[in-house]
């Protein structure tokens, strides 16, 4: 059996004697006897040595199929992760520290968060970022809650947003009592004419995803103008890699920028841990949920960093806090920082442009063999094709060749994604497999 | 230390990606006009920058970390190795179930084991942290009452000793919070609870052992009072490390629990996450669970959405790799190791309390569970040295201070949780240091306010940080300003 108890049985006995306990059971004298489990009564397997554990867990991981070629996105994206990223975030000091409550011995974590906040502000064009939330979906839901006002209790959410994001917004609103109304989608984009008719005195915010779930680019400027005309706030959920090529949310007037930070150096990992980022302008700074790190000085005037604006938070305000968030995704935020430092602007913009170029190449090739694109508008690195054969058949053929194809939205439509990881030769092979499927 | 933006130079960088081998696409009017000012640094500079930052960070690996309520136990390296397996890191969350049977089995088995440990029937791993689990658990309670048409149950009872997340989570779930005072013994005041419980009670949130480190021996009476009033009982698993494998929340009368895998089940805290806050429940609440649940059928593991699900609380299935780490830990410890860890956590806490009790005033003179609370109120009155001063003094000895000023019901509180992974000599050394600090406080109280002296920075001006917030680097000033 594995054990991480440091003291030997003899030492445990010495310590029991020292505290005046006859045995371990006497330490639990306050627990009603009827409730105590008998020794060994847990229905768990016997403990294992480290070697056995390693074999058992490896055997489980081997039951998963890791595809060498991935063309699926839909909220989780495969990008190249520089080696330095994995190396830095494996440092034990970062891995095993708690939330940096004791600033004097946590300057490393605190400064890294300050740098992360700056990078997120730069990416999104915003003025203030928090230290992270759980993922892009919870970031969206927290942003909606930030916008609530006494007489404005309705959130208008684009139907072209990622389904899980819409679901999480709905769940949070089930909790806090806000009402969610979906803005319909038209040709793969949010129907802004419909939005114009939905705005009113009770609308707190509009949530738009850019690029949206179908990969299409939204008219952010028009959405912002309409939203602000209705005195509501615009929240934009953006893909951080896309910001290496596309206008950031602040440029077209978004009030809050949020998003899923996973593309910034985090592996797919079956959905987590990922990273929710949130940034806004100074006007909403004190409504931001979660940790925020600020710069200050010590008693000798030396620059240092602390958790700040804590009067917003649960441990001070309890039930009056805007959010309950405590632990967030600090190590994932550091992952994003190291990724952005390694890539630099040139690298990020190269990644973004490669994503876009590859996706357009793939879409054109697919169209050429009878898998036309469903929507007409501009897109980034995802797009939907009409499938001339059942989608399940096409995807099964691809899987046979080691390709994880796009996500089947229904039996005749597939949502594809291409990133900088996908090279021309790989895309050409994918196209030839699908061509064969069609020809059968 | 210089910020990464203050290092590097134009034209520096790393060579990461190849040239794209298909034609470029013009983003037209969507194209970004102003580049983001990201660092322009070589890989050497990045590596040294973060190594320097690591040296200014105290983790469990650097020294004793008795941070009460946070269970800073050692994080076994095998956990990290297993979570880094490409078979886990390389799979997409939306792959077809037949291609992710290994991941689904990890979730399914971890659910089974943790249900056994907590006495629950089902468990979701979707919540990403403890507070997220609290919110989720409260939504289950809300879903349950709503489905029964019982709209009058709008209040959640929370003891005044509770973690701040409890009332904050209740508010997020749309409940009104009713604070229940603690008795002189630090436990729930039964009369106050009886007076508060009624037809408007949706539920009670409780930590047991509680935040003063005591097991509330009236627990069966407490859960009975709430149930008889028609409410449900929520167990905050922050303190499960004292009792895992010894007594189960389900047997105490709780209907729903959250766990902190990053505390009790040895996955690291990562400087503030990622954690994992799975929520377990009795079968009456299972139909309301969020997300998708893995279910084993004749053709292997499949996804099932609970019939009256409250919806998703996070995209996909939670912080999956964190679950892999906790799963590895449970496989290592097994049937006998889980309770052994709990018992030694309690022993280590009692031993450290025993070493200190003739010097420091214990908030409650009673055998403790996995943690205990000291009050520096008398010391402060006598010498002017506060709990904060004692905490800062510890920094100079390489010890992470205990949790300060919590729980709120104890003045000048220091909450100490050593965990089972510490050696006797670590506890003895910490006790010696704490006793020495107390002597110093009596001998030279003024000097205590200047501590720490050996850390990279001294005490920081938090007031100015909050009044004039500087929360990002200012490029135009060429320095943070």
């Amino acid at each position: 059996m594995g054990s991480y108890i440091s003291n030997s049985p003899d030492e445990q006995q010495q310590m029991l004697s020292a505290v005046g306990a006859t045995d371990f059971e006497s330490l639990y004298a306050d627990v009603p006897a009827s409730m105590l489990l008998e020794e060994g009564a847990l229905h768990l397997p016997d403990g294992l040595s480290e070697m056995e554990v390693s074999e058992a867990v490896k055997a489980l991981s081997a039951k998963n199929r890791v595809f060498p070629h991935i063309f699926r996105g839909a909220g989780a994206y495969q990008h190249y992760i520089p080696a330095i990223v994995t190396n830095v975030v494996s440092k034990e000091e970062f891995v095993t520290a708690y939330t940096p409550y004791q600033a004097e011995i946590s300057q490393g974590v605190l400064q890294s968060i300050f740098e992360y906040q700056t990078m997120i502000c730069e990416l999104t064009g915003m003025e203030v970022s928090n230290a992270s939330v759980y993922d892009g979906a919870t970031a969206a839901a927290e942003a909606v809650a930030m916008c609530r006002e006494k007489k404005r209790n309705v959130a208008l959410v684009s139907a072209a947003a990622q389904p899980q994001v819409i679901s999480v917004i709905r769940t949070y609103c089930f909790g806090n009592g806000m009402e969610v109304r979906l803005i319909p989608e038209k040709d793969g984009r949010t129907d802004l004419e419909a939005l114009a008719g939905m705005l009113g005195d009770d609308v707190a915010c509009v949530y738009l995803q850019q690029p949206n779930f179908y990969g299409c680019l939204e008219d952010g400027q028009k959405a912002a103008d309409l939203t602000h005309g209705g005195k509501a706030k615009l929240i934009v959920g953006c893909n951080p890699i896309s910001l290496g090529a596309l206008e950031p949310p602040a440029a077209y007037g978004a009030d809050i920028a949020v998003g899923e930070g996973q593309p910034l150096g985090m592996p797919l990992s079956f959905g987590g841990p990922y990273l929710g980022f949130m940034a806004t302008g100074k006007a909403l700074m004190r409504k931001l949920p979660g940790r925020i790190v600020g710069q200050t000085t010590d008693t000798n005037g030396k620059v240092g960093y602390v958790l700040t604006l804590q009067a917003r938070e649960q441990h001070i305000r309890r039930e009056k806090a805007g959010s309950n968030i405590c632990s967030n995704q600090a190590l994932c935020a550091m992952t994003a920082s190291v990724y952005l430092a390694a890539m630099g602007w040139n690298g990020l913009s190269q990644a973004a442009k490669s994503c876009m170029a590859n996706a357009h190449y793939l879409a054109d090739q697919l169209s050429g063999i009878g898998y036309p694109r469903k929507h007409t508008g501009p897109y980034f690195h995802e797009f939907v094709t009409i499938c001339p054969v059942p989608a399940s058949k096409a995807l099964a053929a691809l899987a046979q060749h080691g390709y994880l194809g796009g996500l089947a939205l229904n039996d005749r439509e597939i949502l594809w994604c291409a990133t900088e990881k996908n090279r021309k030769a790989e895309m050409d092979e994918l196209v030839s497999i699908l061509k064969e499927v069609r020809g059968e | 230390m210089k910020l990464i933006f203050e290092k590097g130079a134009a034209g520096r960088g790393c060579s990461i990606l190849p040239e794209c081998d298909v034609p470029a696409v013009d983003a037209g009017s969507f194209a970004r006009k102003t580049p983001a000012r990201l660092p322009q640094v070589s890989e050497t500079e990045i590596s040294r920058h973060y190594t320097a930052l690591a040296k200014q960070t105290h983790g469990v690996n650097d020294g004793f970390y008795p941070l009460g309520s946070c269970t800073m136990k050692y994080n076994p390296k095998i956990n990290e190795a297993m979570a880094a397996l490409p078979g886990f890191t390389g799979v997409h969350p939306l792959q077809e179930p037949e291609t992710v049977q290994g991941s689904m089995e990890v979730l399914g088995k971890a659910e089974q084991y943790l249900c056994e440990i907590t006495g629950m029937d089902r468990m979701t791993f979707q919540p990403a942290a403890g507070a997220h689990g609290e919110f989720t658990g409260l939504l289950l309670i809300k879903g349950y009452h709503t489905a029964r048409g019982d709209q009058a149950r709008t209040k959640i009872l929370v003891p005044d000793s509770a973690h701040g997340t409890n009332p904050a989570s209740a508010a997020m779930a749309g409940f009104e919070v009713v604070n229940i005072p603690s008795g002189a013994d630090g436990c729930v005041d039964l009369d106050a609870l009886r007076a508060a419980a009624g037809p408007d009670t949706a539920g009670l949130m409780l930590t047991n052992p509680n935040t003063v480190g005591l097991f509330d021996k009236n627990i069966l009476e407490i859960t009975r009072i709430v149930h008889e009033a028609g409410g449900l009982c929520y167990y905050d698993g922050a303190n499960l490390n004292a009792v895992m494998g010894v007594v189960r929340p389900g047997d105490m009368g709780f209907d729903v629990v959250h766990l902190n895998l990053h505390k009790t089940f040895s996955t690291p805290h990562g400087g503030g996450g990622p954690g994992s806050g799975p929520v377990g429940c009795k079968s009456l609440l299972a139909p309301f669970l969020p997300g998708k649940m893995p279910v084993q059928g004749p053709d292997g593991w499949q996804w099932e959405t609970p019939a009256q699900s409250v919806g998703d609380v996070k995209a996909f299935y939670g912080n999956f790799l964190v679950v892999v780490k906790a799963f590895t830990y449970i496989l290592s410890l097994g049937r006998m190791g889980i309770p052994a860890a709990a018992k030694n956590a309690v022993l280590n806490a009692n031993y450290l309390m025993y070493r200190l009790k003739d010097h420091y005033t214990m908030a409650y003179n009673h055998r403790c569970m996995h943690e205990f609370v000291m009050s520096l109120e008398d010391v402060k009155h006598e010498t002017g040295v506060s709990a904060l001063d004692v905490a800062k003094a510890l920094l100079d000895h390489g010890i992470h201070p205990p949790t300060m000023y919590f729980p709120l019901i104890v003045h000048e509180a220091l909450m100490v949780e050593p965990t089972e992974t510490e050696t006797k000599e670590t506890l003895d050394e910490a006790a010696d240091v704490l006793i020495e600090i107390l002597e110093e406080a009596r001998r030279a109280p003024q000097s205590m306010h200047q501590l720490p002296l050996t850390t990279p920075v001294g005490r920081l001006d938090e007031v100015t940080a909050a009044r004039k917030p500087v929360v990002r680097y200012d490029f135009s000033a060429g320095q943070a300003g």
Side-chain angles (χ1 to χ4, degrees):
Chain A
M1 145 184 134
S3 169
Y4 301 98
I5 298 164
S6 290
N7 292 317
S8 70
D10 277 353
E11 288 169 315
Q12 294 170 25
Q13 277 307 322
Q14 285 170 29
M15 293 163 73
L16 279 168
S17 305
V19 304
T22 46
D23 51 22
F24 277 110
E25 284 59 46
S26 61
L27 296 176
Y28 290 93
D30 285 337
V31 180
S34 64
M35 222 184 262
L36 283 170
L37 294 172
E38 304 244 332
E39 181 93 20
L42 277 186
H43 293 284
L44 291 182
D46 286 329
L48 299 173
S49 66
E50 184 176 313
M51 193 170 102
E52 291 168 303
V53 170
S54 170
E55 288 164 356
V57 180
K58 272 185 191 158
L60 281 176
S61 79
K63 291 186 184 177
N64 283 343
R65 181 156 179 215
V66 178
F67 286 90
H69 312 286
I70 297 179
F71 287 86
R72 192 168 295 183
Y77 301 95
Q78 188 207 28
H79 290 280
Y80 181 75
I81 301 173
I84 183 81
V85 174
T86 318
N87 177 275
V88 165
V89 300
S90 304
K91 287 182 188 292
E92 289 184 325
E93 295 87 345
F94 299 142
V95 172
T96 69
Y98 195 72
T99 301
Y101 293 134
Q102 295 290 343
E104 297 88 343
I105 53 167
S106 309
Q107 285 300 298
V109 166
L110 287 161
Q111 181 174 328
S112 86
I113 297 171
F114 185 82
E115 292 173 351
Y116 162 83
Q117 290 172 182
T118 305
M119 291 187 204
I120 293 298
C121 287
E122 280 296 310
L123 269 189
T124 56
M126 292 288 175
E127 294 170 313
V128 192
S129 155
N130 70 7
S132 79
V133 293
Y134 311 128
D135 70 354
T138 57
E142 291 273 12
V144 166
M146 274 172 73
C147 296
R148 185 186 201 180
E149 289 172 27
K150 253 190 189 140
K151 289 180 179 164
R152 292 180 179 268
N153 199 41
V154 173
L156 303 181
V157 177
S158 163
Q162 185 189 335
Q164 286 95 347
V165 174
I166 299 175
S167 175
V168 173
I169 292 174
R170 281 190 190 281
T171 308
Y172 274 56
C173 290
F174 167 63
N176 68 19
M178 285 181 78
E179 189 189 331
V180 176
R181 294 180 196 149
L182 283 189
I183 314 162
E185 166 246 315
K186 194 175 164 189
D187 187 24
R189 300 168 86 183
T190 308
D191 185 345
L192 295 181
E193 277 169 33
L195 168 63
M198 293 171 79
L199 286 158
D201 291 346
D202 56 351
V203 174
C205 60
V206 171
Y207 179 81
L208 202 68
Q209 184 176 318
Q210 178 81 308
N212 69 25
F213 182 64
Y214 305 110
C216 296
L217 297 178
E218 301 279 4
D219 187 342
Q221 189 65 56
K222 191 172 173 194
D225 292 346
L226 283 169
T227 304
H228 293 151
K231 294 196 166 54
K233 296 189 174 71
L234 179 66
I235 305 164
V236 172
C238 49
N239 179 316
I241 296 283
S242 77
L243 300 178
L246 307 178
E247 277 288 62
Y252 45 87
D255 299 281
I256 306 173
V258 298
E260 177 50 71
Q262 176 271 332
L264 303 176
M266 277 144 268
L268 290 167
S269 305
F270 200 50
Y274 288 178
L275 165 72
F277 64 85
M278 296 186 80
T280 186
K282 282 190 179 142
L284 287 171
M285 175 171 71
R286 285 172 201 273
K287 287 198 161 189
L288 261 183
R291 311 292 187 190
I292 296 176
V293 170
Q295 192 182 62
T296 186
T297 50
D298 74 359
T299 40
N300 298 318
K302 191 173 175 186
V303 171
Y305 302 88
V306 291
L307 293 174
T308 194
L309 301 173
Q310 298 191 68
R312 302 163 294 119
E313 293 187 70
Q314 47 80 23
H315 59 288
I316 309 283
R317 298 203 71 189
R318 297 177 77 86
E319 64 268 28
K320 293 188 180 67
S323 167
N324 68 346
I325 190 164
C326 184
S327 284
N328 45 87
Q329 305 282 115
L331 200 58
C332 301
M334 181 181 282
T335 307
S337 300
V338 185
Y339 176 86
L340 289 170
M343 298 297 279
W345 171 253
N346 290 339
L348 182 73
S349 124
Q350 191 189 353
K353 287 172 181 166
S354 296
C355 284
M356 197 164 177
N358 286 341
H360 283 72
Y361 177 79
L362 181 63
D364 290 347
Q365 298 300 308
L366 287 174
S367 178
I369 58 159
Y371 294 71
R373 196 169 157 244
K374 183 187 178 194
H375 307 119
T376 54
Y379 59 103
F380 179 59
H381 73 337
E382 290 184 274
F383 57 91
V384 178
T385 58
I386 309 282
C387 208
V389 297
S392 51
K393 189 180 168 191
L395 294 175
L398 286 171
Q400 272 190 353
H401 290 81
Y403 280 74
L404 180 66
L407 183 73
L409 298 180
N410 56 53
D411 206 34
R412 289 287 167 180
E413 290 175 7
I414 297 179
L415 172 63
W416 300 92
C417 174
T419 72
E420 82 287 353
K421 282 268 278 180
N422 306 116
R423 313 299 304 280
K424 179 173 180 295
E426 194 186 14
M427 293 189 278
D428 289 342
E429 190 184 5
L430 180 147
V431 169
S432 73
I433 297 165
L434 286 183
K435 190 174 175 188
E436 213 167 287
V437 172
R438 206 200 160 177
E440 275 168 14
Chain B
M1 203 183 123
K2 273 188 180 178
L3 290 163
I4 197 159
F5 308 103
E6 297 165 323
K7 297 180 177 174
R12 283 191 202 159
C14 307
S15 158
I16 308 287
L17 299 180
E19 288 298 317
C20 186
D21 53 7
V22 301
V25 174
D26 183 2
S29 64
F30 293 95
R32 183 162 183 149
K33 291 169 191 77
T34 316
R37 289 166 291 187
L38 296 176
Q40 301 187 68
V41 283
S42 64
E43 189 168 323
T44 317
E45 290 173 286
I46 297 173
S47 182
R48 288 196 183 144
H49 180 73
Y50 284 99
T51 299
L53 289 182
K55 286 179 182 166
Q56 297 193 4
T57 302
H58 181 100
V60 170
N61 279 55
D62 297 280
F64 190 34
Y65 214 128
L67 187 64
S69 205
C70 300
T71 315
M72 297 301 286
K73 59 172 76 176
Y74 176 73
N75 310 118
K77 301 307 160 200
I78 185 71
N79 298 353
E80 300 298 316
M82 295 299 97
L85 289 170
F88 292 132
T89 59
V91 288
H92 193 286
L94 297 175
Q95 282 187 211
E96 284 67 18
E98 59 270 23
T99 66
V100 286
Q101 288 289 298
S103 288
M104 294 177 79
E105 190 170 337
V106 167
L107 290 175
K109 282 196 167 157
E111 179 188 358
Q112 182 196 328
Y113 297 161
L114 289 169
C115 280
E116 172 64 14
I117 291 168
T118 54
M120 294 291 138
D121 296 316
R122 292 309 305 266
M123 186 170 286
T124 173
F125 291 96
Q126 207 174 41
H132 203 207
E134 292 174 17
F135 174 60
T136 306
L138 289 165
L139 289 183
L140 300 188
I141 293 176
K142 186 169 186 162
Y144 172 82
H145 291 310
T146 307
R148 286 159 45 97
D150 198 346
Q151 305 288 1
R153 297 194 178 273
T154 55
K155 292 180 181 168
I156 291 287
L157 313 180
V158 181
D160 57 3
S161 61
H163 300 116
T165 49
N166 286 185
S169 300
M172 266 177 85
F175 290 111
E176 197 182 315
V177 176
V178 180
N179 279 297
I180 307 294
S182 303
D185 59 355
C187 295
V188 174
D189 180 334
L190 290 179
D191 289 334
L193 178 64
R194 282 193 198 97
D200 59 356
T201 301
L204 165 80
M205 297 182 87
L206 198 66
T207 318
N208 195 26
N210 60 24
T211 59
V212 299
L214 303 178
F215 190 94
D216 200 319
K217 53 179 180 284
N218 297 319
I219 188 61
L220 288 173
E221 179 64 10
I222 291 167
T223 52
R224 195 180 61 78
I225 291 169
V226 175
H227 284 150
E228 279 182 0
L232 296 173
C233 296
Y234 181 94
Y235 182 87
D236 176 334
N239 294 347
L240 188 77
N241 203 47
V243 295
M244 62 171 179
V246 177
V247 56
R248 311 192 303 173
D251 298 335
M252 299 178 206
F254 288 96
D255 305 291
V256 48
V257 314
H258 90 259
L259 302 178
N260 297 74
L261 299 187
H262 46 293
K263 296 181 180 178
T264 318
F265 294 92
S266 85
T267 79
H269 287 72
S276 175
V279 168
C281 65
K282 291 282 179 67
S283 50
L284 83 164
L285 292 175
F288 305 98
L289 283 167
K292 290 175 172 174
M293 303 290 288
V295 180
Q296 198 171 19
D299 299 322
W301 294 89
Q302 293 295 328
W303 291 118
E304 205 173 86
T305 302
Q308 295 161 279
S309 175
V310 295
D312 290 288
V313 294
K314 187 180 182 301
F316 310 122
Y317 327 110
N319 283 338
F320 173 72
L321 296 184
V322 180
V323 181
V324 172
K325 295 178 194 184
F327 177 72
T328 303
Y329 180 72
I330 297 169
L331 285 188
S332 301
L333 267 57
R335 194 164 56 89
M336 305 299 282
I338 294 281
K343 289 172 184 175
N344 276 277
V346 173
L347 175 60
N348 277 1
N350 275 284
Y351 182 75
L352 188 54
M353 182 167 80
Y354 149 79
R355 284 289 326 268
L356 293 170
K357 71 175 175 355
D358 293 338
H359 307 271
Y360 283 84
T361 303
M362 295 297 150
Y364 300 93
N365 266 317
H366 194 85
R367 179 153 283 162
C368 69
M369 297 305 282
H370 64 302
E371 66 192 3
F372 58 92
V373 180
M374 312 193 292
S375 169
L376 277 287
E377 199 173 14
D378 50 353
V379 176
K380 190 175 181 197
H381 187 72
E382 182 195 333
T383 66
V385 171
S386 64
L388 178 74
D389 294 328
V390 171
K392 297 304 178 192
L394 281 168
L395 298 176
D396 282 331
H397 294 272
I399 295 175
H400 192 289
T403 296
M404 310 180 300
Y405 301 98
F406 185 82
L408 306 179
I409 57 173
V410 177
H411 296 293
E412 294 294 324
L414 285 179
M415 182 198 225
V416 188
E417 181 183 11
T419 85
E420 73 279 10
T421 59
E422 298 300 333
T423 62
K424 179 171 174 293
E425 58 267 31
T426 300
L427 304 177
D428 281 328
E429 283 161 20
D432 292 344
V433 166
L434 276 161
I435 293 165
E436 186 189 317
I437 288 171
L438 200 54
E439 286 165 3
E440 187 66 20
R442 298 211 164 95
R443 193 168 51 231
Q446 284 308 317
S447 67
M448 298 284 292
H449 307 313
Q450 318 306 323
L451 304 180
L453 300 174
T454 59
T455 47
V457 292
R459 283 196 205 186
L460 292 153
D461 183 354
E462 297 190 13
V463 175
T464 306
R467 280 203 190 134
K468 296 179 185 167
V470 177
V471 295
R472 57 160 295 177
Y473 178 67
D474 179 357
F475 290 90
S476 62
Q479 60 180 39

